[in-house]
Amino acid sequence: MSLAPATTLWFARHELTLAWREFVGMLTGGRRTRGIAIVVTVAIAALTLHLLAIGLVSPWVAAGIGPDKPTLLLVSGFGMLFFSAMLSQGLESVTRAYYARSDLDLILSSPASARHLFAVRTAAVAGSTMLLACLLASPLIDALWLLDGPRWLAAYGVLAALGALSAAIGILVTIALFRIVGPKRTRLVSQIVAAVIGAGFVIGVQAAAILYYGSYSRLTVFQSADVIAGAPGPSNPLWIPARAAMGDPPALVLMLASGLGALLVVIALTASSYGRHAISAAGLGEARTRRGSAAVRFRSVSVGETLRAKEWKLLARDPWLLSQTLMQILYLLPPALLLWVNFGETSGAHVVVVPVLVMACGQLAGGLAWLAISGEDAHDLVATAPVTPRTVLAAKIEAVTAVVAVILAPLLALMALSNPTAAVIAGICGALAAASATAIQLWFRTIARRAMFRRRQVASRTATISEAFVSILWAGTGAVWAAGSWLAIVVAILAVLVLGFARLIAPRHP
Amino acid sequence: MPVSVHPPALVISGLAKSYDRPVITGLDLTVNAGEFYALLGPNGAGKTTILRMVAGLLQPDAGTIAVFGTDTARDPLAARRVTAWVSDEPMVYDRLTPLEYLEFVAGLWQIPAGDARRRARDLIEWLGLSQHADAFCGGLSKGMLQKVALAGALVHDPRLIILDEPLTGLDAGSARQVKDVLIEKVRGGVTVIMTTHILEVAERMAERIGVVSRGRLVAEGTLAELRARIGRGNTSLEEIFLDLVAASPETAAA
């Protein structure tokens, strides 16, 4: 089909072509068999998740699901959890549309209207946000559809509306930031806001569960008798999203109209400023380089110190990494709160907190290790310097572990005051998780630019899966050990086996 | 002496741009239609900033830019229609073939699909890219990518081509091909403005040379005029360039 050039549809076709080819390339890596293997793996994983979801919702369906207050509260709670994550993703993606320079120079130097491109890219943000939420929610929605009827398919419509609303809010926040803090700081502030929004609701609900109900489960708040009693009646407009998700046609139409309408209005109102804001963001590279160049001073005396100082400087200057680290730290707030609430008690709280800390150690170390080991922008420079590879690696690993230690130390200290044994267990298992994640990143290292951090998970799925499994198993070891069971040894052996398997299948480096 | 009725290809008046400090200060520059103009200057002199403002990729703080008589601030689309911008880093998509890329660029300049395809094929053949026409750009060498980007700049028949360091990283063969293409375009009446650090290229190809230092145009003219300005005949452009940059008040003050 031939479309008039430089129109919205023409740009949409161009973006879809690129996105599809990128997806296929990422999936297959140029090999058809790998694509088939991944499709089969994903199908098996989806089937397993659906079976688990069916098991989870069966008792609920058997008890009968009606539009009563407890059900509406629970569905709304789930919806809010998804919406906060979608809002965070939407804001982050919209900001990227302003700052990513890949093809903006070409398009903005052409007579084509940037408004059309903006409309297409914003729609893509809404679409991808919605698609991810649908994928994550699909086991639950499909299970409810199979067991309780097709009315639950309307939940996909609600997710579509929320995806559109997230993109619309993302645009408004980004433009507001451009005006308030200026293009130089918008990206960093927006990434921090996205991290806070993404984690904020989850942490807030969890904090409420810990403070008022002594439970670590987020669902406790939505199932609490007090909250249910205080919630408005089923006919209240507050429940429109929940009613829409449960298949109420007028509520669904209202949701779709609100979400899509908001997106269209925001695009229409802000599209004309896209080119202007993108151009103002374009001049930042030079400005930042000029200012930053004066501040770099390496006063270290040894090669190891120089390398460590360089890693820390680069880590501290990476806004995306900062927001990701902030997210990890935010997720540590609930266990910190649980520790504080249960301070001085020898209750089971520590059994919950230990694995959370161990997981955080593993995940944080994995991300940082990738940046330090694989994400080396000046690989050839470091490789040709008169330094042994061993010294380089040692310095990078020390830099990573020091950052993890600095972040986790206050929590471990707090725990040590309350329960020294649990603190020692968390410290040992956390160190093992961090060391394992770093080792996996070392074995599966590739040469990549730091800017590729976002795609590190797809660069080596084996490394990502191994890292996640090992972290989970060390977290499990910590939990079982903190509970005082000898079975911790079995879980630890499993962790070592997975680590050994990862070593076995890792590519050999010269 | 005949008076040209055509407006100059580029007229820059009082251009200024600051980041953390002033980068361009009160720059005036005129490039005639059909001229090959080389913009020289040390690293950080502001050459790329000037060209990015001309291409509409940066907003000036002050001053005006006119492309063939069209004020780029008042009618940016009209100015862009006749202009092509080639950056030092080729702007191509990894997962488009050169043919698809050229059709996309032609589309941005609203060239009908049939014409776009024909022009794209002609350019690919002309630049010796036929063998790679259907391979993804992601697999091409830097030299080939630069040629694809150059083809993208030519596909809409611009009257003004602005190139920022187009020969960086190219082998001798590719560099020769790019230079030949540019010379042929100038012979056909197109205006070319190019920044380069390869002074021999500027010396051999450019009709006029502008030297920028610390955001100011410190000297401008033909090679002979520049030689006369520093009072030495038969001097290489390298000597002239180093003399001019060293003599500029800003450099002297630094």
Side-chain angles (χ1 to χ4, degrees), chain A residues 98 113 125 172 199 293 323 325 331 471:
Chain A
Y98 282 91
S113 164
V125 168
L172 291 177
S293 59
S323 71
T325 311
Y331 281 119
S471 291

Side-chain angles (χ1 to χ4, degrees), chain B residues 75-98:
Chain B
D75 194 352
L77 293 190
R80 286 177 199 169
R81 256 178 223 120
V82 294
T83 310
W85 158 254
V86 183
S87 95
D88 55 342
E89 283 296 321
M91 300 175 295
V92 294
Y93 296 93
D94 282 357
R95 294 197 183 276
L96 287 188
T97 67

Side-chain angles (χ1 to χ4, degrees), chain A residues 321-344:
Chain A
L321 178 72
L322 274 181
S323 71
Q324 291 303 299
T325 311
L326 181 74
M327 187 93 99
Q328 301 265 11
I329 296 169
L330 284 174
Y331 281 119
L332 289 174
L333 288 179
L337 192 65
L338 194 61
L339 274 173
W340 178 65
V341 169
N342 294 286
F343 189 76

Side-chain angles (χ1 to χ4, degrees), chain B residues 104-149:
Chain B
F104 171 70
V105 178
L108 289 175
W109 268 261
Q110 292 163 23
I111 293 165
D115 282 357
R117 199 163 189 81
R118 184 181 46 74
R119 287 189 200 187
R121 285 202 179 282
D122 289 349
L123 278 168
I124 278 175
E125 201 172 326
W126 190 39
L127 289 168
L129 291 165
S130 301
Q131 273 189 318
H132 309 282
D134 297 313
F136 282 162
C137 291
L140 301 183
S141 67
K142 162 103 195 231
M144 282 192 271
L145 286 178
Q146 194 67 29
K147 282 199 268 183
V148 173

Side-chain angles (χ1 to χ4, degrees), chain A residues 2 5-6 10-11 14-15 17-18 21-22 25-26 101-113 121 184 276 279 282-284 286-288 290-291, chain B residues 19-21 23 44 48-49 52 55-59 77 80-81 83 85 87 91 93 95-97 100-101 103-113 136:
Chain A
S2 183
W10 184 83
F11 271 119
H14 169 69
E15 295 283 315
T17 306
L18 290 178
R21 288 181 183 177
E22 191 71 22
M26 197 176 76
R101 301 250 63 83
S102 56
D103 58 354
L104 275 187
D105 278 1
L106 171 66
I107 295 168
L108 293 177
S109 67
S110 80
S113 164
R121 294 210 167 155
K184 200 179 285 185
R276 197 175 67 244
I279 285 173
L284 296 177
E286 286 182 58
R288 217 173 30 235
R290 283 168 212 281
R291 207 157 72 177
Chain B
Y19 293 123
D20 299 325
R21 60 176 178 79
V23 177
T48 303
T49 303
R52 287 182 71 84
L57 296 171
L58 274 179
Q59 210 64 44
L77 293 190
R80 286 177 199 169
R81 256 178 223 120
T83 310
W85 158 254
S87 95
M91 300 175 295
Y93 296 93
R95 294 197 183 276
L96 287 188
T97 67
E100 289 169 334
Y101 172 76
E103 284 173 359
F104 171 70
V105 178
L108 289 175
W109 268 261
Q110 292 163 23
I111 293 165
F136 282 162

